[in-house]
Amino acid sequence: MDLSYGPEHEAFRQETVAFIEANKHLAPRPGGPSALAWQALLIDRGYAARTIPRAYGGYGADPDILKSRIIAEEFARAQVSPGLGGQGISMLVPTLLEMGTEAQKVQFIGPTLRGEMLWCQGYSEPNAGSDLASLATKGELVGEDWLINGQKIWTSTAHLAHWMFCLVRTEPEAAKHEGISFLLFSMETPGIEIRPLVDMTGAANFNEVFFTDVRVPQHQIVGRRGQGWQVANSILRHERGSLADPNTMLSRVNALTDMMKSETLDGRPVMDNPIYRDRLMQIQGRVLAMRCNDLRLLSAAVNRQNPGVAAMVVKLQGTELRHELEALAIDVLGELGLLYGDTPRLRGHGSWQRDYMYFLGLIIGGGTSQIQKNIIAERGLGMPREAKLATA
Amino acid sequence: MDLSYGPEHEAFRQETVAFIEANKHLAPRPGGPSALAWQALLIDRGYAARTIPRAYGGYGADPDILKSRIIAEEFARAQVSPGLGGQGISMLVPTLLEMGTEAQKVQFIGPTLRGEMLWCQGYSEPNAGSDLASLATKGELVGEDWLINGQKIWTSTAHLAHWMFCLVRTEPEAAKHEGISFLLFSMETPGIEIRPLVDMTGAANFNEVFFTDVRVPQHQIVGRRGQGWQVANSILRHERGSLADPNTMLSRVNALTDMMKSETLDGRPVMDNPIYRDRLMQIQGRVLAMRCNDLRLLSAAVNRQNPGVAAMVVKLQGTELRHELEALAIDVLGELGLLYGDTPRLRGHGSWQRDYMYFLGLIIGGGTSQIQKNIIAERGLGMPREAKLATA
Amino acid sequence: MEFGLSQEQVMLQASVERFLAGQGGLARTRKFVSDNETRATDVLEGLAGLGVTGLIIPEDFGGVGLSFLDAAIVAEALGRYVTPAPYVGTAVLAPLALMRAGNESQKTHWLPRLAAGEVVAGVAISESTGARGDAGLTLKEGKLSGTSLFVIDYEADVYLVADRDGGLHLVPADAPGLTRTSLRTIDGTRPTGELTLDSVTGEALPGSCPAVLRELIDVGRVMFAADTLGAAQDMLEQAVAYSKERKQFERAIATFQAVKHMCAEMVAALEPCRAMVWYAAHALDALSAEASVTACHAKAHLSEVGTLVARRATEVHGGMGFTDLVGLHYWFKRIGFNRQILGGPQTVREDAARLQGFAV
Amino acid sequence: MEFGLSQEQVMLQASVERFLAGQGGLARTRKFVSDNETRATDVLEGLAGLGVTGLIIPEDFGGVGLSFLDAAIVAEALGRYVTPAPYVGTAVLAPLALMRAGNESQKTHWLPRLAAGEVVAGVAISESTGARGDAGLTLKEGKLSGTSLFVIDYEADVYLVADRDGGLHLVPADAPGLTRTSLRTIDGTRPTGELTLDSVTGEALPGSCPAVLRELIDVGRVMFAADTLGAAQDMLEQAVAYSKERKQFERAIATFQAVKHMCAEMVAALEPCRAMVWYAAHALDALSAEASVTACHAKAHLSEVGTLVARRATEVHGGMGFTDLVGLHYWFKRIGFNRQILGGPQTVREDAARLQGFAV
């Protein structure tokens, strides 16, 4: 058991801290330096796009999980922007590196990393949620172009994005998982309509996107025709764990602790209430378990071990835990916990209610808890897949 | 809304109370009057076997649910034995009344009511639990007799019973539910072996029963050949609700309350601990909900209304609630709650631990919680039955 | 022996539900919220026409003189339709306070107007179930000062307020020294807000006493419990219906055991709550020795079960449950509001413990 | 960066498990319980041979000088095999007390004997985590009097006892004035009992202080948490294996979504506990500032998860889980014992709150 990062990495941590200290005045803020300039600096110094080859606009370092973790930790600690994120950088770039043509890598990775090209993801459809592979948006090869018709949903940032990476059914005759292709196209292509999708938090965090005879040049495909499911699947897994970061949960626990010390009920701090206190301790203990689990996953990644089921449970446990954490805060605040939106007496900027609802959305989204349990049982515990149904 | 029982029934209650007061010295007790004499008196006066026709040895009153309830309430309140129970009286007698031949009624009902003939139930098998209809104990017609071979399990009182009512597969060629017959036979028939089945409470509340070439006269069948499933099913439902009587739960809550007042931890009554107190209040509230539901069921029965889903949820909710109630008592007692068996410092005669385990058994037994949920979803909410599986 | 609703009660509830459905149901609620309406006059008038505003007010004062059980089944209907109309304050608690503690002239003046729906009364008693920060009203030399938060039926013409000693007072909305501040909550169907009083002259209800305030709290708790019952029942029904329609993996999701069990767990928890709400309301009417403890349990237990149902019903809807498209969140949020108002579950359970002498 | 077990630790755990399996596993446990054995000498000797009895004792005193993390993974193995051998008291807490608070002659006398497994030490400190009734030991003029309940590793040759002021003492099993009373619990694998002392002359550990007692409690809690981890992991594995074998409705019950989800919920709750136990044990070794709070959380959280797994794994087994035939209840009851000993979850969480200054 060795929780230290070792001398080389501690030196790297010092460097990182020094860099942040020296440059944080350049970090983006409203009315201040732009996010794009900051991103360029971070890439240049190896704090963003760290392991992407230089040829494609990255920094070109060898992968080093601990260094990546150190960067994340220190930028978070200093509360300085760690550069751009988004689905282009987190999902499309790794996909292109693995499956893209040389021309695609050159064309797309650099501008994406630099923040000049924002992407949105076109996967889910109204009738293809948990059962994503049943997606029906149609891509027909007409002359040199794919002609796309259909609808996507849950497309975050569709209204901001320049391009979309999209799953489209191009081989209607093929088996369900084998008729899908992975296409890239500009959101300015004629025939695309975006409608904001208001959710229970009151915000439009997502969109619906409608396609009517959208024309996409034939070569804007990643992988082969009908190979889109494999292309998409190789990165879907990355998305899931990130929804329930235990370090974020820990800061929520700390914020909740502070709130319980400062709020009063009938003249006494709410923390003096043993029942709320016990619930806080329950949550704190569970968050601690998930943080320990996270250390185990980090260690496995560093040492190239397969973490097995320990990784599969993160999304299920984390989103549930976060939802319950926010629920406790609301109970502790009582009627004050109901306040939401632009209103006097609002606590925590309304974040308790917002996250309570948003994490219910995350319990459902990115693979519902029911689907997660199927996966854990089948892949984690080796239980048999759902028995095949008789064709009615 | 009228919670009174009305003047006729209140008069009946007075009568009942007076009877109990005048006769309780005759109630059975170790070294005192026998249970059989008491049973005879109760039948004679209409406090047992109340609605069974006189011709078959009952009291012959018209059914009156409130009077039955009043009898149960007042005998419970006075802590006087309400007469004999058991599967013969509660399950076999109603079955015979509905489906038995005249000869069977005459032969079996009277002795059963009088306690001269004790019965056990032969339904479950090691490979036929939730899926009871897959039972495999074989009954073959050889000459004038059924020749029975196979095994039953979960047979309570098998070692005490004189007779068994038993489900046996007599038509191996028929569909699963249509090949079963309902047979009656003496436990003294050669070829029957009884083995006690020790459970987690440490007691042998149940038995395994093995049959080797057990011969049963052909006429000892209730209903027709292959009709046994319907015969058994008509009464199975009665068994389920009775496992979770809310009035018993209420007396457990009261016992728990008393215990929390008298036990101390670090010199203070455990009731002073707000967390345990809150858990007690949660349980008390849930028990109250089940008691109100029970009133609703009683009212529906009196007024011949179909209580619908309100009846279906009793077993699921009640067994779970009882298990949690006992779990709270153990937590409240801390290490003292671990004590079990013949030991100093034992609390509540060990009933907290015993019932904690026993009610876990009941969560599983009599239709597991999983099966209960299927039934509630399908029959209570009209959700479709499990989709048929492909034959692999 | 008849535990349940009478024919008249079944008809009353049905007629209220029919009206609420006819008046637009969710569509009306959406409009109320998106247009920032403060009072749904059309709904209120319709309810007044059905006698709802005067439900518990004696006939002598222009009401229909029904019971708390009748009031509870109306609350259930309003919850089921997430109706954006004042009710618990104006139709139940304010009339009750006047009936119990008002003098004849107060009754004669206010009750008929309340019964007719001409006047809406807000109720400011939340500090009596737990005061946040320095909230609370003090009576000094006949003048009321201080703050009261989370007024029930806040968009009102007159307020019933409780001072720190349990005294009840009527304060008109335009009383000098009264400042009103709207508070936005998750539940857009229930306008609430705070009152700040600076030496306000109220009209004391002469019969005020701790027992009357206790009864107001008990009755209010049962009404919010009933509202949750209706809202949760509707969410459950929506979830079951959706699961039968929605297909994934070439089958209705209602055929998946996980979905079936989620629905079974909801109904198993919720169905006994119906009898519990009936019983708690009946106890207010007729079983005074049990009424307070039963009201606490109904409020706390319905809050817990409501929270469970609200969450699970949303989950059964998958992503759709999270969107505004099906509008399920109106029910979700209403149940959330009912949970906290007049005391969250833990607060209310501690009250139940105190009432039984288990806590100080 | 290496969060997890070293090669040596993996081998240590494997060798202990190999021994426990070879020595009979459940069959040995059944025999211990049904024969009312008081000390499983064969098991104890085997463990001594593997160095387990001297695991944390320094090599100078005949032990192997390993860490609390090593001790925790041995506890996990013992839980997995529901082993009826003394461990937490005799191999961990008693040696620890001697190492921290004993003088040289005490160490020289006791540690080598404990390490060799020649002597079994019981530990009577349960009153320090919550005294039931009038239990507790008082030191007056050098004499110990009173009662201590729920002695860990009760069937012992010598006892480490804590008095009401936190002073630690050694009391031989045959000390004049000492009366021992066996207490039967649900967990037949863990003999426990009470000591009644009537002016007993004990041997004080001169270095006793609140910090040492605190460390004993922390270490004990982590060990019982580790035991639960092992027991719960084994129950989960038994449940998964059974579900693949058991057929109902013409299919393995493992194909039912309800059964799959029960198993998924178990592993989802339990798997992070493994890292938590590692971390808590490592904190005892190396992160003293966090050690006490982390120990509380590990104990409380493992108790809750263990209870869940014990119940669900039993349910997956259906009726068989309730019988003695498969013997699943030995694990169920061991987890139940671990939950209460040295403080139930609520007690331990309140301790965690106090340690952080949230409660008095």
Side-chain angles (χ1 to χ4, degrees):
Chain A
M1 187 69 85
D2 175 13
L3 300 186
S4 78
Y5 283 14
E8 180 198 339
H9 288 91
E10 286 310 326
F12 181 78
R13 188 188 295 277
Q14 295 316 318
E15 269 173 45
T16 305
V17 170
F19 168 84
I20 295 170
E21 193 51 40
N23 293 281
K24 65 182 175 191
H25 62 286
L26 300 173
R29 61 176 184 277
S34 87
L36 267 56
W38 179 244
Q39 175 78 356
L41 176 64
L42 293 184
I43 296 176
D44 184 55
R45 302 289 294 274
Y47 296 109
R50 182 171 173 82
T51 62
I52 314 290
R54 281 186 180 268
Y56 307 130
Y59 178 74
D62 289 336
D64 183 319
I65 287 157
L66 280 187
K67 287 187 178 169
S68 301
R69 173 67 72 115
I70 288 167
I71 293 169
E73 284 173 359
E74 295 305 330
F75 278 77
R77 198 191 313 271
Q79 301 193 312
V80 167
S81 160
L84 300 175
Q87 293 175 319
I89 289 176
S90 69
M91 299 185 69
L92 180 69
V93 166
T95 305
L96 288 179
L97 282 172
E98 196 179 326
M99 323 268 292
T101 63
E102 185 60 25
Q104 287 169 338
K105 291 179 192 175
V106 169
Q107 182 184 356
F108 295 116
I109 295 180
T112 302
L113 294 177
R114 290 192 297 275
E116 297 156 11
M117 191 181 266
L118 298 181
W119 292 81
C120 60
Q121 179 203 73
Y123 283 10
S124 296
E125 299 181 6
N127 291 311
S130 292
D131 182 15
L132 181 59
S134 70
L135 60 89
T137 291
K138 210 169 66 178
E140 223 179 333
L141 202 54
V142 175
E144 298 294 294
D145 292 339
W146 298 104
L147 195 68
I148 301 178
N149 282 285
Q151 180 197 347
K152 294 292 173 181
I153 194 170
W154 303 114
T155 315
S156 52
T157 70
H159 53 303
L160 303 172
H162 308 110
W163 281 65
M164 172 182 273
F165 55 98
C166 188
L167 292 178
V168 171
R169 184 162 305 282
T170 54
E171 335 291 309
E173 309 299 318
K176 192 165 156 179
H177 294 80
E178 288 156 24
I180 298 168
S181 296
F182 191 103
L183 303 184
L184 313 175
F185 49 84
S186 164
M187 289 300 279
E188 297 188 352
T189 319
I192 299 180
E193 186 199 347
I194 300 167
R195 288 189 211 151
L197 183 66
V198 176
D199 61 51
M200 72 189 297
T201 70
N205 291 305
F206 302 94
N207 300 276
E208 295 179 285
V209 182
F210 297 84
F211 307 118
T212 312
D213 289 341
V214 174
R215 286 190 167 271
V216 174
Q218 190 175 359
H219 65 274
Q220 288 177 198
I221 184 172
V222 181
R224 291 193 315 276
R225 276 181 72 152
Q227 208 186 14
W229 185 253
Q230 292 83 322
V231 175
N233 240 335
S234 68
I235 45 172
L236 255 186
R237 246 161 291 167
H238 294 282
E239 194 190 28
R240 286 181 180 146
S242 64
L243 298 175
D245 173 43
N247 294 305
T248 313
M249 282 200 278
L250 182 64
S251 47
R252 288 304 274 172
V253 170
N254 292 338
L256 173 53
T257 303
D258 291 344
M259 186 267 275
M260 286 174 64
K261 289 179 183 168
S262 61
E263 294 288 337
T264 64
L265 181 61
D266 290 330
R268 294 181 58 187
V270 182
M271 187 64 97
D272 285 2
N273 181 314
I275 301 165
Y276 294 134
R277 197 164 64 219
D278 186 59
R279 283 177 65 186
L280 177 68
M281 288 301 98
Q282 285 185 45
I283 295 281
Q284 191 185 52
R286 290 164 64 192
V287 169
L288 176 61
M290 295 313 293
R291 286 177 63 223
C292 295
N293 193 62
D294 189 58
L295 271 179
R296 182 179 172 197
L297 297 181
L298 175 65
S299 177
V302 169
N303 300 296
R304 293 168 201 280
Q305 293 153 345
N306 179 359
V309 75
M312 294 179 200
V313 305
V314 172
K315 195 261 179 186
L316 179 69
Q317 295 299 92
T319 51
E320 174 67 37
L321 178 50
R322 185 70 187 279
H323 178 70
E324 290 184 39
L325 186 162
E326 310 293 333
L328 170 57
I330 294 167
D331 271 358
V332 161
L333 286 165
E335 297 99 329
L336 287 172
L338 298 167
L339 298 174
Y340 196 60
D342 180 21
T343 182
R345 298 195 182 270
L346 187 65
R347 298 304 204 263
H349 308 285
S351 63
W352 305 113
Q353 274 288 353
R354 188 192 59 232
D355 287 356
Y356 175 64
M357 295 187 280
Y358 192 72
F359 272 82
L360 176 54
L362 288 186
I363 285 171
I364 295 167
T368 66
S369 285
Q370 282 65 49
I371 298 289
Q372 295 293 321
K373 290 178 194 173
N374 286 350
I375 293 172
I376 291 166
E378 291 166 13
R379 296 189 205 153
L381 297 174
M383 295 175 81
R385 289 183 60 88
E386 187 77 11
K388 267 249 163 52
L389 295 181
T391 37
Chain B
M1 187 69 85
D2 174 14
L3 299 187
S4 78
Y5 282 14
E8 179 198 341
H9 288 92
E10 286 310 325
F12 182 79
R13 187 188 297 277
Q14 296 316 315
E15 270 174 46
T16 306
V17 170
F19 169 83
I20 295 171
E21 194 50 40
N23 294 282
K24 66 183 178 192
H25 62 286
L26 301 173
R29 59 177 187 277
S34 87
L36 267 57
W38 180 243
Q39 176 77 357
L41 176 64
L42 293 184
I43 294 176
D44 184 54
R45 302 289 293 275
Y47 296 109
R50 183 172 173 79
T51 61
I52 313 289
R54 281 184 181 271
Y56 307 131
Y59 178 74
D62 289 337
D64 183 319
I65 287 157
L66 280 186
K67 287 187 179 167
S68 302
R69 174 67 72 114
I70 287 166
I71 294 169
E73 284 172 359
E74 294 306 328
F75 278 77
R77 197 192 314 272
Q79 301 192 313
V80 168
S81 160
L84 299 175
Q87 292 174 321
I89 290 176
S90 69
M91 300 185 69
L92 179 69
V93 168
T95 305
L96 287 180
L97 282 173
E98 197 181 325
M99 324 266 292
T101 63
E102 186 58 26
Q104 287 169 340
K105 291 179 193 174
V106 170
Q107 181 182 358
F108 296 117
I109 295 181
T112 302
L113 294 178
R114 291 192 296 275
E116 298 156 11
M117 191 183 264
L118 297 180
W119 292 82
C120 60
Q121 179 203 73
Y123 283 10
S124 296
E125 298 181 5
N127 290 312
S130 292
D131 183 13
L132 180 60
S134 72
L135 59 89
T137 292
K138 212 169 64 178
E140 223 178 332
L141 201 55
V142 175
E144 297 295 293
D145 293 338
W146 297 106
L147 196 67
I148 302 177
N149 282 284
Q151 183 195 347
K152 295 290 173 183
I153 194 171
W154 303 116
T155 314
S156 51
T157 68
H159 51 304
L160 303 174
H162 309 109
W163 280 67
M164 172 180 274
F165 55 98
C166 186
L167 292 177
V168 171
R169 184 162 303 282
T170 53
E171 334 291 309
E173 309 298 318
K176 190 164 159 182
H177 294 79
E178 288 155 24
I180 298 169
S181 297
F182 190 103
L183 303 184
L184 313 176
F185 49 84
S186 163
M187 290 298 280
E188 296 188 353
T189 318
I192 299 180
E193 187 199 346
I194 300 167
R195 289 188 209 152
L197 184 64
V198 175
D199 63 49
M200 72 190 296
T201 69
N205 291 303
F206 302 93
N207 299 277
E208 296 179 283
V209 182
F210 297 83
F211 307 117
T212 311
D213 289 340
V214 174
R215 287 191 167 270
V216 175
Q218 191 175 357
H219 65 276
Q220 288 178 197
I221 183 171
V222 181
R224 292 193 312 276
R225 277 182 72 153
Q227 209 187 12
W229 184 253
Q230 291 85 318
V231 175
N233 241 335
S234 68
I235 45 169
L236 256 185
R237 246 162 290 168
H238 295 282
E239 193 191 29
R240 286 182 178 145
S242 65
L243 299 174
D245 173 44
N247 295 306
T248 312
M249 281 199 279
L250 182 65
S251 49
R252 288 305 274 173
V253 170
N254 292 340
L256 173 53
T257 303
D258 290 343
M259 185 267 274
M260 286 174 65
K261 288 178 183 170
S262 61
E263 293 288 336
T264 64
L265 182 60
D266 290 329
R268 294 181 57 187
V270 183
M271 186 63 96
D272 286 2
N273 181 315
I275 301 166
Y276 294 133
R277 197 163 64 219
D278 186 60
R279 283 178 65 187
L280 177 67
M281 288 299 100
Q282 285 185 47
I283 296 281
Q284 191 185 52
R286 290 165 64 191
V287 169
L288 176 60
M290 295 314 292
R291 286 179 63 224
C292 295
N293 193 63
D294 189 56
L295 271 180
R296 183 179 171 199
L297 297 181
L298 174 65
S299 177
V302 169
N303 300 294
R304 293 169 200 280
Q305 293 153 346
N306 179 358
V309 76
M312 294 179 200
V313 305
V314 171
K315 196 262 178 184
L316 179 69
Q317 295 299 92
T319 51
E320 173 68 37
L321 178 50
R322 184 71 188 278
H323 178 71
E324 289 184 40
L325 186 162
E326 309 295 333
L328 169 57
I330 295 167
D331 272 359
V332 161
L333 286 166
E335 296 99 329
L336 288 173
L338 298 167
L339 297 175
Y340 196 59
D342 180 22
T343 183
R345 296 192 182 271
L346 186 64
R347 297 306 203 261
H349 308 285
S351 63
W352 306 113
Q353 273 289 351
R354 188 194 58 231
D355 287 357
Y356 176 65
M357 294 187 281
Y358 192 72
F359 274 81
L360 177 55
L362 288 187
I363 286 171
I364 295 167
T368 67
S369 286
Q370 284 64 51
I371 297 291
Q372 294 294 322
K373 289 178 194 172
N374 286 349
I375 292 171
I376 291 166
E378 290 166 13
R379 298 190 204 154
L381 297 173
M383 295 175 79
R385 288 183 61 89
E386 187 76 10
K388 267 249 161 56
L389 295 182
T391 35
Chain C
M1 170 73 198
E2 171 93 44
F3 179 79
L5 305 184
S6 66
Q7 269 313 107
E8 293 73 23
Q9 286 167 331
V10 171
M11 282 168 57
L12 167 67
Q13 197 179 41
S15 70
V16 172
E17 292 194 354
R18 206 157 41 234
F19 163 69
L20 295 174
Q23 151 275 354
L26 178 60
R28 182 68 189 87
T29 298
R30 280 190 190 278
K31 183 171 175 309
F32 181 86
V33 175
S34 61
D35 293 3
N36 285 310
E37 293 181 53
T38 51
R39 196 180 293 180
T41 316
D42 53 333
V43 183
L44 192 59
E45 282 174 1
L47 289 173
L50 290 165
V52 164
T53 45
L55 203 69
I56 66 159
I57 296 175
E59 293 180 52
D60 293 352
F61 295 102
V64 285
L66 293 178
S67 69
F68 291 125
L69 178 55
D70 296 283
I73 63 176
V74 170
E76 185 191 347
L78 298 169
R80 178 183 268 280
Y81 285 88
V82 287
T83 304
Y87 177 70
V88 178
T90 196
V92 184
L93 300 186
L96 177 61
L98 282 158
M99 285 153 58
R100 294 288 192 266
N103 58 31
E104 280 311 300
S105 87
Q106 288 167 333
K107 291 185 197 176
T108 309
H109 179 79
W110 291 108
L111 289 176
R113 288 174 172 77
L114 287 167
E118 293 164 22
V119 159
V120 170
V123 172
I125 59 170
S126 83
E127 282 69 32
S128 310
T129 62
R132 297 280 159 178
D134 55 1
L137 293 178
T138 311
L139 181 69
K140 216 183 230 172
E141 294 162 14
K143 307 277 194 178
L144 290 160
S145 294
T147 308
S148 181
L149 309 180
F150 311 110
V151 176
I152 298 165
D153 297 344
Y154 165 78
E155 295 289 352
D157 307 305
V158 62
Y159 296 97
L160 176 81
V161 305
D163 66 38
R164 283 208 170 108
D165 300 316
L168 298 170
H169 314 263
L170 291 172
V171 176
D174 56 2
L178 171 67
T179 310
R180 308 193 306 158
T181 309
S182 169
L183 296 170
R184 290 177 69 99
T185 77
I186 43 159
D187 179 12
T189 70
R190 302 293 213 1
T192 188
E194 67 184 86
L195 305 180
T196 307
L197 285 75
D198 183 6
S199 287
V200 169
T201 307
E203 191 183 336
L205 300 193
S208 300
C209 65
V212 170
L213 182 58
R214 175 82 243 175
E215 189 180 5
L216 292 182
I217 293 168
D218 294 342
V219 171
R221 283 174 174 169
V222 173
M223 295 302 137
F224 285 113
D227 195 284
T228 288
L229 173 65
Q233 180 67 34
D234 202 68
M235 287 191 89
L236 165 62
E237 290 171 15
Q238 290 186 59
V240 171
Y242 183 84
S243 75
K244 293 177 184 172
E245 289 296 317
R246 172 75 176 172
K247 288 204 165 57
Q248 289 282 275
F249 303 103
E250 290 89 46
R251 53 199 271 206
I253 62 170
T255 63
F256 284 102
Q257 206 178 21
V259 174
K260 285 162 80 164
H261 285 198
M262 279 202 283
C263 292
E265 286 161 14
M266 280 192 262
V267 74
L270 188 58
E271 192 61 28
C273 291
R274 179 170 307 281
M276 187 184 210
V277 166
W278 290 347
Y279 188 88
H282 178 64
L284 297 171
D285 288 319
L287 309 166
S288 62
E290 300 176 41
S292 290
V293 171
T294 306
C296 289
H297 278 317
K299 175 67 162 64
H301 186 62
L302 265 291
S303 294
E304 303 287 22
V305 172
T307 302
L308 171 86
V309 171
R311 175 189 161 162
R312 292 280 180 231
T314 304
E315 279 189 90
V316 169
H317 280 79
M320 273 302 122
F322 184 61
T323 67
D324 184 54
L325 294 174
V326 292
L328 203 67
H329 63 94
Y330 287 100
W331 284 264
F332 184 97
K333 291 168 179 171
R334 186 149 170 143
I335 290 169
F337 183 95
N338 292 345
R339 180 181 174 95
Q340 305 301 342
I341 199 76
L342 293 183
Q346 268 128 349
T347 301
V348 176
R349 282 194 295 262
E350 185 69 351
D351 201 3
R354 258 193 307 270
L355 288 162
Q356 295 174 84
F358 302 157
V360 286
Chain D
M1 170 73 201
E2 173 92 43
F3 179 80
L5 305 184
S6 66
Q7 268 314 107
E8 293 73 20
Q9 286 167 330
V10 171
M11 282 167 56
L12 167 66
Q13 199 179 38
S15 71
V16 173
E17 293 194 352
R18 207 159 38 235
F19 163 70
L20 295 174
Q23 152 276 352
L26 178 59
R28 181 68 189 88
T29 297
R30 280 188 190 279
K31 182 170 178 308
F32 181 86
V33 175
S34 62
D35 293 1
N36 285 311
E37 294 183 49
T38 52
R39 196 180 292 180
T41 315
D42 54 333
V43 183
L44 193 60
E45 282 174 1
L47 290 173
L50 289 165
V52 164
T53 45
L55 203 71
I56 66 160
I57 295 175
E59 293 180 54
D60 291 354
F61 294 102
V64 286
L66 292 179
S67 68
F68 292 123
L69 179 56
D70 295 284
I73 63 177
V74 170
E76 184 191 347
L78 297 170
R80 177 182 269 277
Y81 286 88
V82 287
T83 304
Y87 177 70
V88 178
T90 196
V92 184
L93 300 186
L96 177 61
L98 283 159
M99 285 153 58
R100 293 289 192 265
N103 58 31
E104 280 309 302
S105 88
Q106 288 168 332
K107 293 184 196 176
T108 309
H109 180 79
W110 291 109
L111 289 175
R113 287 173 173 78
L114 287 167
E118 294 164 21
V119 159
V120 170
V123 173
I125 59 170
S126 81
E127 283 69 32
S128 309
T129 63
R132 298 279 159 181
D134 56 0
L137 294 178
T138 311
L139 182 70
K140 214 182 232 173
E141 293 163 15
K143 307 278 191 178
L144 289 161
S145 293
T147 307
S148 181
L149 308 181
F150 309 109
V151 176
I152 298 166
D153 296 345
Y154 165 78
E155 295 288 354
D157 307 303
V158 62
Y159 296 97
L160 176 80
V161 306
D163 66 39
R164 283 209 168 105
D165 300 315
L168 298 169
H169 314 264
L170 291 173
V171 176
D174 56 2
L178 171 65
T179 311
R180 311 193 304 159
T181 311
S182 170
L183 296 171
R184 290 177 69 96
T185 77
I186 44 160
D187 180 12
T189 70
R190 303 292 214 0
T192 187
E194 66 183 88
L195 305 180
T196 307
L197 287 75
D198 182 7
S199 287
V200 170
T201 308
E203 191 183 339
L205 300 192
S208 300
C209 65
V212 169
L213 182 56
R214 174 83 243 175
E215 190 181 5
L216 292 183
I217 292 167
D218 294 341
V219 171
R221 285 175 173 169
V222 173
M223 294 304 136
F224 285 113
D227 193 284
T228 288
L229 173 66
Q233 179 68 34
D234 202 66
M235 285 191 92
L236 166 63
E237 289 170 16
Q238 290 186 59
V240 170
Y242 183 82
S243 75
K244 292 177 184 172
E245 289 296 318
R246 170 77 175 169
K247 287 203 168 57
Q248 287 285 272
F249 304 102
E250 290 87 48
R251 52 200 271 207
I253 62 169
T255 63
F256 285 102
Q257 207 179 20
V259 174
K260 285 161 81 165
H261 285 197
M262 280 201 284
C263 292
E265 285 160 14
M266 281 192 262
V267 73
L270 187 59
E271 191 62 30
C273 291
R274 180 169 307 279
M276 188 184 209
V277 167
W278 289 348
Y279 189 88
H282 178 64
L284 297 171
D285 288 319
L287 309 166
S288 62
E290 301 174 43
S292 289
V293 170
T294 305
C296 289
H297 279 315
K299 176 67 161 64
H301 186 62
L302 266 291
S303 294
E304 303 286 23
V305 172
T307 302
L308 172 86
V309 171
R311 177 192 159 157
R312 293 278 180 234
T314 304
E315 280 190 89
V316 169
H317 280 79
M320 274 302 123
F322 183 62
T323 67
D324 183 56
L325 294 173
V326 293
L328 203 67
H329 64 94
Y330 287 100
W331 284 264
F332 184 98
K333 292 167 180 172
R334 187 150 171 141
I335 289 169
F337 183 95
N338 292 343
R339 180 181 173 95
Q340 305 300 345
I341 198 78
L342 293 182
Q346 269 129 348
T347 301
V348 176
R349 283 193 296 263
E350 186 69 351
D351 200 5
R354 260 193 306 269
L355 288 162
Q356 295 173 85
F358 301 156
V360 285

